[in-house]
Every structure is written in C-alpha cells, then in structure tokens.
C-alpha cells in the first residue's frame, strides 16, 4: 500500500545548444537566400540599361557602316547583347518568382489560336538560330479540340513553352522538332515538344528542372546558357495546376 515516486534526470544542455545552432543556421540561410535574390534582381535591372544601349547602337552601326568588317563586328556585338539580355531576363524572372507568387491572369482563348502562336514562335526561334536548313519542324493538333475554347493564362503558357522550345533548338543539331497539342484522359490538354537532339542521361533527369544546373559543365561551354529556363517553366506550369514531365534517351532526343 505504500506509494513510491521514481524520477530520471538527464542533462540536455548539449542537445539544446545543437538545436540553437540549427535554428541560427536556418535563419542565416534564409537571410542569405533573401539577400541573393535581392542582389540578383537589382543587378539584373542595372545591367539592362547599358546593354540596351549596346544593343541599339550596334544595330545602328551595322545599318550606317559601309565597311564589311565593321558590319561583321557590329553584328557580333548585336548578337552577343541579345544573348546577354535574354540571360538577364531569365535571372530576373527567376528571382521575381522566388520572392513572390506567380500571378495567373485567366482569359478565354481558342486552342487553335494558342497553338498558332506557339508555331509562329517556334519558327521564329529556329530562324534566329540559323539551323533552319538542318532542322525540320513538325506540327500536330488534335482535331477534336481545334475550335474549343479554354480558360487559361495564354502568356504564361507561351512563356513556359518558349523556354522548352529554346532548349530543343539549342540541343538539336539536325533532325526534327515536333510540337503537338492533344486531348487526353480526364479532359486534360497536353502540350508536347519532341526533339532529336543530344538527349539527357537517365541519372540527370531529376536535376534538369533545378535552377542553374545543367547536365554537365561541358554542355554549358559547348551550348551556352545558365540552366534557368526549365526551372522557370516548371514553376509556371505548377502555378497553373499543371504538371511537366520529360522522357529522354541519351543520344536520341527528348520529349517534354
């Protein structure tokens, strides 16, 4: 009938110290990420002004000059400035999406009109790349949905697809690029872009949507780019309650 009490005492000083360190490290990492995004956004904005001047004046020089060597040099400056402006725009978009939610502005759009705009953009990108003689474009649209209207943010769809189109052209030297839109199960609209490019090794499939990551450093040196485009596309697609997937065979091509 007697009552006994048992107590156990443990010293958790070390455990509490480790917990404090983890909290401090987390706060420091979050602050570092915030400062990085703010810095990238600021530097992107500051770089645009001089680059726009370089871009504009190099085009003027090309139009005004009569000397062929000057025309060639100004054309190279003009092309390089376009590449830099595109890179800066991608960085700006990525940092903006890091700091704020992606705003979706939905409107009614006819599928065939949207598909037509994507076709026009893909043709223009191929023309700019000077690969028009090596790459054939193939287009296919499901006839069941050609005249149907959907409610979506057309500009965001184009933006997401644009990054994938640029990649398809960049990593394809010859063959074809195929753009499709079709209706699949659950009344879902599927946009697909297939290329006959260099493909992606299976062990790197999961990393290609991470920002600033490319499959291999040698790809960056050979093909250029920052590895931002697909990350932006993924964020846009998911903000629109969609899903982005990829199938690829190294050396044969990719399907996004």
């Amino acid at each position: 009938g007697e009552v006994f009490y048992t107590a156990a005492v443990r010293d958790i000083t070390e455990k509490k110290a480790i917990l404090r360190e983890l909290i401090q490290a987390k706060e420091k990492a979050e602050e570092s990420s915030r400062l990085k995004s703010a810095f990238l956004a600021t530097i992107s904005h500051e770089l645009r002004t001089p680059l726009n001047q370089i871009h504009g004046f190099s085009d003027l020089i090309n139009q005004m000059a009569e000397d062929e060597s000057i025309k060639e040099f100004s054309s190279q400056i003009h092309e390089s400035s376009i590449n830099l402006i595109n890179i800066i725009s991608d960085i700006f978009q990525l940092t903006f999406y890091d700091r704020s939610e992606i705003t979706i502005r939905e409107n009614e759009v006819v599928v065939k009109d949207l598909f037509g705009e994507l076709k026009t953009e893909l043709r223009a990108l191929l023309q700019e790349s000077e690969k028009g003689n090596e790459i054939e474009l193939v287009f296919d649209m499901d006839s069941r949905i050609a005249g149907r209207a959907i409610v979506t943010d057309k500009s965001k769809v184009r933006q997401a697809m644009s990054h994938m189109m640029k990649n398809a052209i960049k990593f394809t030297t010859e063959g074809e690029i195929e753009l499709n839109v079709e209706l699949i199960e659950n009344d879902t609209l599927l946009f697909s872009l297939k290329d006959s490019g260099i493909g992606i090794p299976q062990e790197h499939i999961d990393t290609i949507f991470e920002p600033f990551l490319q499959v291999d450093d040698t790809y960056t040196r050979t093909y250029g780019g920052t590895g931002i485009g697909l990350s932006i596309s993924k964020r846009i697609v998911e903000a629109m309650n969609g899903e982005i997937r990829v199938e690829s065979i190294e050396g044969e091509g990719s399907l996004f």
Side-chain angles (χ1 to χ4, degrees), residues 103-171:
T103 303
I104 304 298
R105 296 180 175 87
E106 294 183 330
N107 286 292
E108 191 174 277
V109 57
V110 178
V111 175
K112 66 177 179 181
D113 294 340
L114 175 57
F115 189 63
E117 292 184 21
L118 292 174
K119 287 167 62 177
T120 300
E121 183 168 1
L122 182 55
R123 287 193 183 107
L125 290 170
L126 182 60
Q127 191 68 28
E128 289 173 14
S129 72
E130 298 181 348
K131 293 182 179 179
N133 294 328
E134 288 77 34
I135 299 174
E136 180 186 357
L137 297 181
V138 179
F139 303 104
D140 187 29
M141 179 171 59
D142 191 332
S143 59
R144 294 174 297 167
I145 54 171
R148 286 183 61 175
I150 57 172
V151 176
T152 187
D153 188 330
K154 182 174 69 171
S155 65
K156 288 294 189 298
V157 174
R158 287 189 56 177
Q159 188 181 357
M161 292 296 296
S162 179
H163 290 294
M164 289 183 275
M165 290 175 184
K166 290 174 184 176
N167 271 7
I169 294 169
K170 182 197 299 185
F171 295 112

Side-chain angles (χ1 to χ4, degrees), residues 7 54-55 77 96 99-100 147 156 168 175 187 234 248:
I54 294 169
H55 176 258
I77 294 170
F96 178 78
R99 297 167 69 185
S100 57
K156 288 294 189 298
D187 210 30
K234 185 172 187 289
S248 186

Side-chain angles (χ1 to χ4, degrees), residues 2-253:
E2 295 183 65
V3 178
F4 292 90
Y5 295 92
T6 302
V9 179
R10 284 187 298 155
D11 185 353
I12 60 169
T13 304
E14 185 177 351
K15 184 178 180 180
K16 295 287 283 185
I18 292 171
L19 184 60
R20 277 196 300 271
E21 288 176 4
L22 287 172
I23 292 171
Q24 289 171 359
K26 179 177 178 290
E27 291 173 347
K28 187 175 180 180
E30 289 173 347
E31 177 66 9
S32 176
S33 178
R34 187 189 67 79
L35 290 173
K36 178 206 72 176
S37 294
F39 170 76
L40 286 173
T42 302
I43 203 70
S44 296
H45 176 75
E46 293 299 323
L47 283 172
R48 280 183 177 186
T49 301
L51 273 174
N52 283 331
Q53 292 181 358
I54 294 169
H55 176 258
F57 283 121
S58 61
D59 190 36
L60 279 175
I61 291 170
N62 186 268
Q63 294 177 32
M64 295 168 63
E66 295 181 359
D67 189 297
E68 288 302 320
S69 60
I70 293 176
K71 281 182 172 289
E72 183 183 348
F73 296 150
S74 61
S75 293
Q76 290 177 7
I77 294 170
H78 189 71
E79 185 179 342
S80 295
S81 67
I82 292 174
N83 291 336
L84 274 173
I85 290 169
N86 289 337
I87 290 170
I88 290 167
S89 295
D90 286 349
I91 293 172
F92 183 80
Q93 286 176 10
L94 184 67
T95 53
F96 178 78
Y97 292 155
D98 274 340
R99 297 167 69 185
S100 57
E101 289 187 4
I102 298 175
T103 303
I104 304 298
R105 296 180 175 87
E106 294 183 330
N107 286 292
E108 191 174 277
V109 57
V110 178
V111 175
K112 66 177 179 181
D113 294 340
L114 175 57
F115 189 63
E117 292 184 21
L118 292 174
K119 287 167 62 177
T120 300
E121 183 168 1
L122 182 55
R123 287 193 183 107
L125 290 170
L126 182 60
Q127 191 68 28
E128 289 173 14
S129 72
E130 298 181 348
K131 293 182 179 179
N133 294 328
E134 288 77 34
I135 299 174
E136 180 186 357
L137 297 181
V138 179
F139 303 104
D140 187 29
M141 179 171 59
D142 191 332
S143 59
R144 294 174 297 167
I145 54 171
R148 286 183 61 175
I150 57 172
V151 176
T152 187
D153 188 330
K154 182 174 69 171
S155 65
K156 288 294 189 298
V157 174
R158 287 189 56 177
Q159 188 181 357
M161 292 296 296
S162 179
H163 290 294
M164 289 183 275
M165 290 175 184
K166 290 174 184 176
N167 271 7
I169 294 169
K170 182 197 299 185
F171 295 112
T172 303
T173 54
E174 59 181 4
E176 64 179 35
I177 295 173
E178 185 177 344
L179 174 65
N180 294 330
V181 60
E182 60 184 306
L183 191 68
I184 58 175
E185 67 275 3
N186 301 322
D187 210 30
T188 299
L189 203 60
L190 174 68
F191 291 87
S192 62
L193 191 69
K194 185 178 182 181
D195 65 65
S196 58
I198 60 175
I200 306 162
Q202 288 303 306
E203 63 268 24
H204 294 296
I205 288 286
D206 294 333
T207 64
I208 61 171
F209 294 105
E210 295 298 322
F212 304 109
L213 285 180
Q214 289 198 355
V215 171
D216 194 308
D217 288 342
T218 55
Y219 286 12
T220 306
R221 291 192 295 271
T222 304
Y223 298 98
T226 57
I228 294 175
L230 287 178
S231 176
I232 294 173
S233 292
K234 185 172 187 289
R235 294 177 194 213
I236 292 171
V237 170
E238 290 179 348
M240 299 172 75
N241 296 318
E243 181 184 0
I244 186 168
R245 299 191 303 270
V246 59
E247 299 171 12
S248 186
I249 299 175
E250 189 175 5
E252 295 186 16

